[in-house]
Amino acid sequence: MLLSSLNLLRHPLTFVATKWQTLIRVAGNPYRPELHYMRGPGPKWHAKHPASRLDRMR
């Protein structure tokens, strides 16, 4: 009787433990590539390559 009760609890507890481990692994990962993604030329590039007036009007 006790053994069957423990077997019934094992599957939900294993599921919760697996999800918890995944959450901890994802939350503990400090690397976030979206923070380092380049979105285009920066101010130094624009200072070195001044655009003509026609390009700025577009």
Side-chain angles (χ1 to χ4, degrees), residues 37-51:
Y37 182 77
M38 289 188 60
R39 292 173 182 86
K44 285 190 175 182
W45 186 90
H46 286 290
K48 287 182 181 179
H49 302 91

Side-chain angles (χ1 to χ4, degrees), residues 46-47 49-58:
H46 286 290
H49 302 91
S52 70
R53 279 189 155 307
L54 293 175
D55 289 341
R56 289 183 186 170
M57 295 175 86
R58 288 185 190 175

Side-chain angles (χ1 to χ4, degrees), residues 11-29:
H11 295 293
L13 290 177
T14 303
F15 176 78
V16 170
T18 303
K19 293 298 181 184
W20 180 258
Q21 289 171 349
T22 303
L23 175 67
I24 296 300
R25 188 176 340 109
V26 169
N29 186 0

